[in-house]
Amino acid sequence: MKEINYLNMYKLYLFTFSLFISIVCNSQKQTNTHIILPKSIVLKTLRILLDNGKKEENILHNDIDGFINKEFISEYASIKISYNLSNGESINDLFFVNNQPSIIKYFYSSSETAKLNYTLTNAYDFKIQKNKFLEYTKNEVQECKEFLEKYSDSIFINKPLIDSIYRSKFSALSTKEMQYISMNSSDYYLKWYFRRNLLKSNLIDNKSVYNVFKRFPKSYIDSEEGIFIKNYLNSFTAFKKGEELPFFRVKDIANNFVSLLDYKHKSNVLVVFWATWCVPCINEIPTIRALKSKYKDLEIIFISYDTDKSLFLSKIKEYQMDWIHIFNDIDLINSYGSYKAIPRVYAINKNGQLIYDRDQDKDKDLSLLEIALFNLYK
């Protein structure tokens, strides 16, 4: 009897270990893609973008001679290739790859030298799914196209009627797209389109977007890509005064872990979302620096939207921003509402409670922040 129990325990161990290895391997996916382009391309017009399930990354030109090896969290990584040929032809293609070795090869057909074709090995263009999708929405797409051709110079320049028509037409298109995605929620191309084009649309209410998301298979909703989307949707809920902000534990630019829990019962904290290209963000740095000087134990955490790290680091030095910096952590930005405008500022007391939210407090010049901190330290 004991031998049987030991045998069963050994089998259970093997199953658990193999499951663990499977999970680890599946969570560490990496592309292994070779892109082969004809010599006639104009390199200065070439652009390759890789979407890893969270954000898009520009692939440098010299990478195309070898393999593109990039980590991704989604079921497929997408690769967008665009460039101009010497004859003036413009190429814009979208491909999907997983962690299998894959090849995307462009070539000229022998009969039509002006026409560029491609072959795919373990790579996919999802043309069937894409064409069905476009067929379903073609009327709305055509209306939007005609509207843009006629009024492109008049949109968003203080012409309320034209802006209203614009929103109406593109809202109708988005609604039609969501209808189709809801009916075909197992197609990965539609999941990708939902995340890239509808998730952050300001033409659709958050509840409708969430209802479409819930139609996806549970395996997708519970995947790392699905959790990323879910966190973004949950960020639309306004943070409540007196409650704690969403938890995060990330590395700063000095490679140290930063967590709001570390400051609980120890320090008051200022959390600021910003970017070097944001003029109001830069203009407010002297005010933040003055607050840091006035309240010595005030911890300041700046979270940057930047993608150019060298520029980011140079600005930190230039503006003497002597506090904690987190560079382009997309999960953190997503969980706090990447759709929200910057600069975005939150103040948290030593109990970990939110006492100031710039958006909710409608504080234009940080004067209300100064009052909130004064009351906190008096």
Side-chain angles (χ1 to χ4, degrees):
M1 190 68 156
K2 287 185 178 180
E3 291 181 2
I4 294 176
N5 287 337
Y6 283 130
L7 179 61
N8 288 338
M9 288 174 65
Y10 180 68
K11 288 180 178 178
L12 180 60
Y13 167 79
L14 286 179
F15 172 78
T16 305
F17 181 75
S18 63
L19 181 62
F20 170 76
I21 293 297
S22 174
I23 291 171
V24 170
C25 291
N26 288 336
S27 64
Q28 296 178 338
K29 293 181 286 189
Q30 185 165 319
T31 63
N32 185 8
T33 304
H34 190 193
I35 298 178
I36 304 172
L37 296 167
K39 293 180 180 179
S40 60
I41 66 168
V42 181
L43 277 177
K44 66 180 181 181
T45 69
L46 173 66
R47 195 177 188 201
I48 301 176
L49 297 171
L50 183 136
D51 179 355
N52 66 8
K54 291 184 179 180
K55 62 181 179 180
E56 211 168 42
E57 178 182 357
N58 186 46
I59 306 298
L60 298 178
H61 293 171
N62 56 4
D63 286 337
I64 67 171
D65 294 328
F67 290 88
I68 297 177
N69 300 115
K70 297 290 182 179
E71 291 185 354
F72 64 101
I73 67 159
S74 40
E75 188 175 339
Y76 295 90
S78 70
I79 298 175
K80 184 178 181 182
I81 301 175
S82 60
Y83 63 91
N84 297 328
L85 297 174
S86 56
N87 64 2
E89 182 184 357
S90 179
I91 301 298
N92 290 284
D93 288 322
L94 179 68
F95 304 103
F96 295 82
V97 299
N98 51 27
N99 54 356
Q100 293 181 299
S102 57
I103 300 173
I104 301 171
K105 181 179 181 179
Y106 281 98
F107 63 95
Y108 289 105
S109 63
S110 56
S111 59
E112 279 185 88
T113 56
K115 185 176 180 181
L116 199 65
N117 296 316
Y118 58 78
T119 58
L120 303 176
T121 303
N122 290 330
Y124 312 91
D125 55 18
F126 293 137
K127 272 192 173 180
I128 294 175
Q129 295 94 323
K130 182 179 179 179
N131 289 338
K132 287 182 178 179
F133 184 42
L134 291 174
E135 177 64 23
Y136 187 82
T137 60
K138 67 179 182 181
N139 291 335
E140 288 76 14
V141 169
Q142 185 61 30
E143 284 192 18
C144 290
K145 182 180 178 181
E146 291 174 356
F147 179 82
L148 286 176
E149 289 174 351
K150 188 174 182 179
Y151 296 107
S152 59
D153 295 334
S154 304
I155 301 173
F156 307 131
I157 55 172
N158 199 26
K159 292 189 176 182
L161 179 59
I162 292 178
D163 291 350
S164 177
I165 297 172
Y166 165 85
R167 295 187 66 85
S168 175
K169 288 187 179 296
F170 278 84
S171 293
L173 172 59
S174 298
T175 300
K176 194 72 177 289
E177 290 174 334
M178 292 201 300
Q179 287 174 355
Y180 186 83
I181 292 172
S182 295
M183 295 185 294
N184 301 273
S185 56
S186 62
D187 287 349
Y188 185 76
Y189 172 77
L190 298 177
K191 297 170 188 172
W192 173 88
Y193 189 91
F194 172 84
R195 176 173 59 81
R196 289 300 308 270
N197 298 287
L198 297 177
L199 181 63
K200 299 181 180 182
S201 171
N202 60 1
L203 299 174
I204 320 167
D205 67 275
N206 183 55
K207 185 177 180 180
S208 298
V209 175
Y210 198 85
N211 286 337
V212 173
F213 175 67
K214 290 191 296 185
R215 298 294 298 271
F216 290 130
K218 188 176 186 299
S219 58
Y220 179 75
I221 292 175
D222 294 339
S223 69
E224 193 170 352
E225 185 178 6
I227 292 171
F228 176 78
I229 294 172
K230 196 186 308 180
N231 287 340
Y232 175 82
L233 291 170
N234 289 338
S235 72
F236 278 80
T237 303
F239 304 137
K240 294 182 180 179
K241 298 282 188 70
E243 294 186 359
E244 296 185 359
L245 288 175
F247 169 80
F248 64 80
R249 186 172 186 267
V250 298
K251 283 190 174 182
D252 64 10
I253 58 173
N255 211 32
N256 299 316
F257 279 107
V258 178
S259 169
L260 289 182
L261 290 179
D262 294 339
Y263 304 107
K264 197 169 183 179
H265 306 306
K266 297 177 183 177
S267 305
N268 301 308
V269 183
L270 206 61
V271 178
V272 181
F273 289 82
W274 77 296
T276 58
W277 41 260
C278 166
V279 175
C281 300
I282 298 298
N283 291 341
E284 291 178 355
I285 290 173
T287 301
I288 301 294
R289 196 186 304 115
L291 291 173
K292 175 66 176 173
S293 178
K294 184 175 183 179
Y295 305 111
K296 302 297 184 183
D297 68 336
L298 177 66
E299 289 291 346
I300 298 178
I301 303 172
F302 263 46
I303 301 160
S304 171
Y305 278 58
D306 285 276
T307 55
D308 185 336
K309 195 165 187 177
S310 59
L311 175 63
F312 163 77
L313 293 173
S314 69
K315 291 298 181 183
I316 289 175
K317 185 177 180 180
E318 179 183 349
Y319 294 110
Q320 303 174 32
M321 301 164 70
D322 187 20
W323 44 74
I324 295 169
H325 291 277
I326 298 166
F327 176 75
N328 193 23
D329 189 297
I330 195 68
D331 282 329
L332 174 52
I333 292 171
N334 197 47
S335 65
Y336 274 73
S338 60
Y339 60 93
K340 296 177 181 177
I342 54 175
R344 197 158 69 256
V345 186
Y346 305 99
I348 309 162
N349 64 19
K350 291 183 179 180
N351 294 323
Q353 300 167 320
L354 178 67
I355 62 159
Y356 168 91
D357 177 341
R358 183 180 196 159
D359 290 343
Q360 292 186 53
D361 291 325
K362 295 180 170 48
D363 189 8
K364 292 183 179 180
D365 56 3
L366 297 185
S367 58
L368 296 181
L369 171 63
E370 295 185 51
I371 293 172
L373 291 177
F374 175 80
N375 290 332
L376 197 60
Y377 281 94
K378 68 179 181 181

